[in-house]
Amino acid sequence: MSEMARMKFYCDEDRCIECFACTVGCSEAHELPTGISRRKVITLNEGIEGLEYSLSIACMHCTDAPCEQVCPVDCFYIREDGIVLHDKEKCIGCGYCLYACPFGAPQFPRDGAFGIKGAMDKCTMCAGGPLETNSEHERELYGQNRIAEGKVPMCAAVCSTNALLVGDSQKVSEIYRQRVLSRGHKHNDSPVAWSSAYKS
């Protein structure tokens, strides 16, 4: 029996045009409150000719998720397909996950000290949460469950340049390899952030 595909995100920094469609699409699809942004577009080396590039960043659904390792109430769980989800009804708003995450993925609805931040929110790769799939309660707490419907996450669906890819890690790696070969110039050996999120 073959091993289940491990779902991963990849943002091709050579294709991202900083249009923010992924950020807006995610917020609208999941009806996120003001102040919560599951996906952010950042620009590195801004203004430095030849070195400037943009990336779409969210939860990377890490292999050894640091958020899961530090959570004192075990609200995180990793699905068989590698998607890292959390239980908002267990979360105590301590913020440990935010400090552990190298990508700044965990978001909190309120500012403040331990216990008053409210339940943490983060990218679910459009895979919902621990509640009944596509139930009203799941949608209210976690947003759309597009994975259960056989669709790609909203951010990837609206990316006009196909910079943001999501799917089986081996297939995503192969697409990246083909793109690098077709460009015919020196490039990073692996996608940006993969070495932090996905350990072999």
Side-chain angles (χ1 to χ4, degrees):
M1 190 171 175
S2 64
E3 194 177 313
M4 180 175 251
R6 303 284 294 181
M7 300 286 284
K8 302 297 178 194
F9 273 122
Y10 157 53
C11 182
D12 187 338
E13 67 271 18
D14 279 350
R15 287 190 177 218
C16 180
I17 58 170
E18 200 182 5
C19 70
F20 296 95
C22 55
T23 304
V24 175
C26 174
S27 295
E28 287 299 310
H30 302 300
E31 299 176 16
L32 300 177
T34 303
I36 297 289
S37 183
R38 292 182 180 178
R39 181 161 286 282
K40 303 177 205 82
V41 176
I42 60 167
T43 300
L44 301 171
N45 304 318
E46 194 165 4
I48 303 172
E49 194 175 334
L51 294 177
E52 181 178 300
Y53 64 95
S54 296
L55 284 172
S56 176
I57 296 284
C59 174
M60 292 290 282
H61 301 272
C62 301
T63 304
D64 296 317
C67 54
E68 184 208 26
Q69 293 172 26
V70 301
C71 180
V73 294
D74 293 324
C75 82
F76 289 91
Y77 61 102
I78 302 176
R79 294 179 8 160
E80 196 180 343
D81 60 6
I83 298 176
V84 179
L85 298 177
H86 67 293
D87 187 337
K88 287 188 175 189
E89 293 175 334
K90 280 186 181 177
C91 178
I92 59 171
C94 67
Y96 287 6
C97 55
L98 175 61
Y99 297 110
C101 177
F103 306 105
Q107 307 283 302
F108 292 89
R110 295 188 290 279
D111 227 354
F114 173 82
I116 59 168
K117 290 179 175 296
M120 186 273 285
D121 190 278
K122 74 169 192 70
C123 162
T124 64
M125 204 182 278
C126 290
L131 303 168
E132 182 189 342
T133 301
N134 283 327
S135 66
E136 193 176 317
H137 195 35
E138 182 195 52
R139 188 179 178 100
E140 182 186 320
L141 287 181
Y142 304 97
Q144 290 184 17
N145 191 334
R146 293 174 59 88
I147 296 289
E149 297 169 7
K151 298 174 182 173
V152 298
M154 184 56 77
C155 56
V158 299
C159 183
S160 62
T161 61
N162 288 327
L164 193 54
L165 300 174
V166 64
D168 170 35
S169 58
Q170 291 181 325
K171 289 180 183 165
V172 170
S173 292
E174 180 58 24
I175 291 169
Y176 180 77
R177 192 178 78 78
Q178 290 301 325
R179 286 182 180 181
V180 170
L181 289 174
S182 70
R183 290 178 188 134
H185 60 81
K186 189 177 181 316
H187 208 270
N188 294 333
D189 290 336
S190 66
V192 172
W194 269 42
S195 58
S196 299
Y198 312 134
K199 298 176 178 55
S200 304

